[in-house]
Amino acid sequence: SILTDVFRLVSPGSGTRAEFENGIWDYYFPSISVRRRDGVGFGGSDYLTSWIGPDSVALGSETKANAYVFESMVTPFAGGSGFPTGGGGGSSGGASGSKVLTGVFIDSDSGWSTLGTFTVAGVPPSPAITATVSAGTGGGADSTVQFRLIQSSGGAVVAGPSGSVLIPGSLVESDLVYLSGTGSQSGSVSYALQKRTVGGGGTTGVTIQIDISIGQAL
């Protein structure tokens, strides 16, 4: 047995590695800018036992909100921006999920550009897709933005923009954009959230969350 106040296993390198300190393992994957932490009860009141997220999050600052995937001792037990919930398949299948994008820059480019991609499992055939896009405030000028959701394979537009706009900028409240449409792929499907600026520009540091719900089209 080992009795000590601090016990650490530290890698001498800076590449892909695993390190241990006081009951917590940290796994680093710098080539894809991802970090994983496993342990007992970290993350303050979130009581996390496992966390996967961007390596830009400082050690000790892990939360449910900044995780791609997490496990917690309190409800919900598992989740994250890259964690699809629901499931199933076939004629009665359905799926849902969410993704959070932080530090987004809204420029004045009028063309469509991808903000982020994610995959949802359990998508039924001929799926009906609805999604909400919300954004917190950023710094700089207000921007009027349209969003759309596309299938990453083939680039088919499945939701939006339906004339919806979002103005983050210096507003103090979050804005919501509602998207809807019908997809053509089923099973495990990758989607991309895209935006184009139709007015203003130069907004920085915006946090965007997309919540998606998929069911069988009638």
Side-chain angles (χ1 to χ4, degrees), residues 156-205:
V157 178
V158 298
S162 303
S164 299
V165 296
L166 172 69
I167 308 177
S170 58
L171 298 182
V172 295
E173 74 277 6
S174 293
D175 291 316
L176 292 175
V177 170
Y178 299 93
L179 306 176
S180 63
T182 303
S184 60
Q185 297 179 342
S186 60
S188 182
V189 182
S190 294
Y191 299 95
L193 176 65
Q194 295 189 332
K195 68 88 185 173
R196 68 178 176 186
T197 306
V198 295
T203 302
T204 60

Side-chain angles (χ1 to χ4, degrees), residues 106-111 143-146 195-201:
I106 304 295
D107 59 18
S108 57
D109 182 7
S110 60
S143 300
T144 305
V145 185
Q146 291 182 326
K195 68 88 185 173
R196 68 178 176 186
T197 306
V198 295

Side-chain angles (χ1 to χ4, degrees), residues 4-154:
T4 179
D5 291 330
V6 178
F7 181 73
R8 301 178 66 200
L9 297 172
V10 181
S11 171
S14 59
T16 300
R17 64 195 187 278
E19 297 183 348
F20 178 86
E21 181 175 356
N22 290 344
I24 295 179
W25 282 98
D26 289 295
Y27 306 87
Y28 298 85
F29 306 90
S31 62
I32 55 174
S33 301
V34 171
R35 179 170 61 80
R36 173 171 183 153
R37 169 165 276 205
D38 291 311
V40 178
F42 62 93
S45 59
D46 284 343
Y47 291 97
L48 300 175
T49 57
S50 183
W51 180 95
I52 300 174
D55 61 8
S56 57
V57 175
L59 287 174
S61 298
E62 300 84 3
T63 65
K64 293 179 182 179
N66 58 27
Y68 293 150
V69 177
F70 68 81
E71 292 181 356
S72 170
M73 295 299 291
V74 295
T75 304
F77 295 109
S81 59
F83 186 90
T85 59
S91 59
S92 61
S96 62
S98 65
K99 186 174 182 66
V100 177
L101 306 170
T102 59
V104 175
F105 172 55
I106 304 295
D107 59 18
S108 57
D109 182 7
S110 60
W112 288 106
S113 60
T114 297
L115 293 174
T117 60
F118 58 99
T119 300
V120 179
V123 177
S126 302
I129 299 172
T130 59
T132 60
V133 181
S134 61
T137 59
D142 288 354
S143 300
T144 305
V145 185
Q146 291 182 326
F147 293 92
R148 72 180 183 184
L149 197 63
I150 70 168
Q151 293 170 171
S152 296
S153 177

